[in-house]
Amino acid sequence: QVQLVESGGGLVQAGGSLRLSCAASGRTFSSYAMGWFRQTPGKEREFVAAIRWSGGNTYYADSVKGRFTISRGNAKNTVYLQMDSLKPEDTAVYYCAAGRWMGDYAIFNSGQYDYWGQGTQVTVSS
């Protein structure tokens, strides 16, 4: 059974940093892409960043380019989202997701992912 467990959320002041972690288990993820999405009440889930497990290609939403960095950790099946220069508009529940054999367009689409974590709250105060 696939499990994705996020951690690292919290409350931070604008301009600060947080690092989210996603620990994945239950299968081999070499053919998967791992994504981070975020959602605020009343809005659709929004793509933030993604990384291909094999090859390490990365993808970012324009709103976070230059501020957020997605990476694979040395620990097995762990993905990180380093968030710097945080803004109040980054406040959301952040979700980790995994999808297999995803094309370059599908990777931005939440509906294409197969597995999701439970989410972690990030709150940025002004």
Side-chain angles (χ1 to χ4, degrees):
Q1 183 178 356
V2 174
Q3 275 197 314
L4 304 178
V5 179
E6 303 100 334
S7 60
L11 173 64
V12 65
Q13 287 189 332
S17 298
L18 282 174
R19 188 175 81 157
L20 305 184
S21 300
C22 174
S25 62
R27 66 175 61 231
T28 301
F29 288 90
S30 57
S31 60
Y32 280 73
M34 306 295 293
W36 285 97
F37 289 78
R38 64 189 181 187
Q39 190 170 24
T40 55
K43 293 189 176 181
E44 291 189 357
R45 201 162 288 190
E46 174 190 26
F47 173 81
V48 176
I51 186 168
R52 294 193 183 280
W53 206 269
S54 178
N57 291 26
T58 57
Y59 307 79
Y60 295 95
D62 288 343
S63 59
V64 306
K65 275 181 186 175
R67 301 188 299 121
F68 291 10
T69 304
I70 189 170
S71 62
R72 298 168 295 177
N74 291 329
K76 193 175 182 181
N77 288 354
T78 302
V79 175
Y80 300 102
L81 184 68
Q82 177 67 40
M83 305 187 296
D84 299 317
S85 302
L86 282 161
K87 304 175 181 180
E89 51 263 44
D90 294 318
T91 295
V93 177
Y94 282 71
Y95 296 90
C96 176
R100 193 178 184 192
W101 302 122
M102 302 182 70
D104 283 349
Y105 290 105
I107 211 164
F108 295 92
N109 185 346
S110 62
Q112 300 296 316
Y113 286 76
D114 303 306
Y115 304 102
W116 291 86
Q118 81 288 352
T120 185
Q121 176 71 45
V122 171
T123 303
V124 183
S125 64
S126 57

